[in-house]
Amino acid sequence: MRFPLLSAVSVSIGWHLVLFVVAFTLPSIGFAGPVVVNLAACTVPLAVVARLRWWRAPWLATVLPRRPWLLVPPFLVVGLEATRGVTGSAEVLAASALLMVSVGISEELYARGVMQEFLRALSPWRTALWIGLLFGLGHVLSGVVFGRSPEYIAFQVLHASVFGFLLAALRLHTVSIWPLALLHAVSNWINSNSPGELPVWWEALRLLALTGYGVALVRACTQERMALSPSLT
């Protein structure tokens, strides 16, 4: 790939354009509308997969992750937020779960899937940082188009960048994107059905924990690559 970063940016822009067009043109179909919007956006990364014949690529074709134990800490961090409980009727929670699964699948396909595959030749640090940054900046587009407040956009960008960096770091080890889609969906579902805003100290600790774990994962991947490379001495 001659221009990996440009290719990754193009996928991000294309995914968001399809998301916006479908969101503003789709007739109202109730709770299924947002699900359809997110699944429609999947056509962009899937078109890239078809064009480059990546159907059998391990990150897409493999369901079970490599080194599954590395997923335990982030699931625990996300699960801690559920200790406060969730609000809503069974129907609302089920509809929310369906939506968040569609979001997790769609966003992981384009971000940790196609975008990260484009950046695969870069170092682990550059790959994870670029994925986190591009994923966070994508939430600026969404926030502006959907009329979010500047404060909300800043909050979303920070969280999305940290979470995107962590997921990219995990992908370096797990290979498969599907456990990441599940983690993504569970995190979004808990946050969207939370009984109220988390305390600032909780948010800060969560971001620090996810960032620290992502850094540790990237460092481990870097050390592995150095150990596998030919000795210079």
Side-chain angles (χ1 to χ4, degrees):
M1 186 63 60
R2 293 183 60 188
F3 305 104
L5 184 56
L6 179 59
S7 298
V9 171
S10 299
V11 170
S12 178
I13 293 174
W15 184 90
H16 283 90
L17 286 178
V18 171
L19 186 83
F20 300 150
V21 169
V22 177
F24 286 109
T25 59
L26 184 72
S28 178
I29 54 175
F31 77 89
V35 175
V36 173
V37 169
N38 279 281
L39 293 181
C42 286
T43 57
V44 173
L46 290 177
V48 175
V49 168
R51 176 67 179 83
L52 298 177
R53 300 180 180 180
W54 282 347
W55 296 112
R56 296 185 179 180
W59 61 268
L60 180 63
T62 304
V63 176
L64 297 178
R66 186 169 65 101
R67 299 174 180 172
W69 57 87
L70 294 177
L71 292 160
V72 174
F75 268 107
L76 287 176
V77 171
V78 168
L80 282 174
E81 298 175 16
T83 58
R84 302 191 308 143
V86 293
T87 60
S89 65
E91 292 78 8
V92 169
L93 293 176
S96 175
L98 182 60
L99 171 59
M100 296 313 166
V101 168
S102 71
V103 172
I105 291 173
S106 190
E107 294 192 347
E108 292 311 306
L109 265 176
Y110 97 81
R112 265 61 61 180
V114 170
M115 283 174 54
Q116 189 151 341
E117 190 65 11
F118 277 137
L119 301 179
R120 184 166 58 94
L122 302 181
S123 70
W125 281 112
R126 292 176 65 190
T127 297
L129 288 171
W130 272 118
I131 292 296
L133 178 61
L134 292 176
F135 190 63
L137 291 177
H139 286 70
V140 175
L141 291 174
S142 300
V144 171
V145 170
F146 292 118
R148 309 297 189 188
S149 68
E151 295 79 9
Y152 181 87
I153 293 175
F155 177 84
Q156 283 288 93
V157 169
L158 175 61
H159 279 252
S161 297
V162 170
F163 199 46
F165 169 75
L166 170 68
L167 291 171
L170 280 167
R171 156 74 150 92
L172 294 171
H173 294 271
T174 65
V175 180
S176 174
I177 65 168
W178 302 114
L180 307 183
L182 176 60
L183 175 62
H184 197 148
V186 170
S187 177
N188 284 358
W189 185 82
I190 293 173
N191 286 331
S192 65
N193 296 291
S194 173
E197 293 185 1
L198 291 169
V200 174
W201 63 266
W202 188 320
E203 292 280 8
L205 285 177
R206 178 179 182 272
L207 290 176
L208 286 173
L210 296 180
T211 301
Y213 190 56
V215 168
L217 290 172
V218 177
R219 289 185 63 184
C221 183
T222 301
Q223 291 170 357
E224 287 180 3
R225 291 194 182 186
M226 292 177 61
L228 291 174
S229 64
S231 175
L232 298 179
T233 60

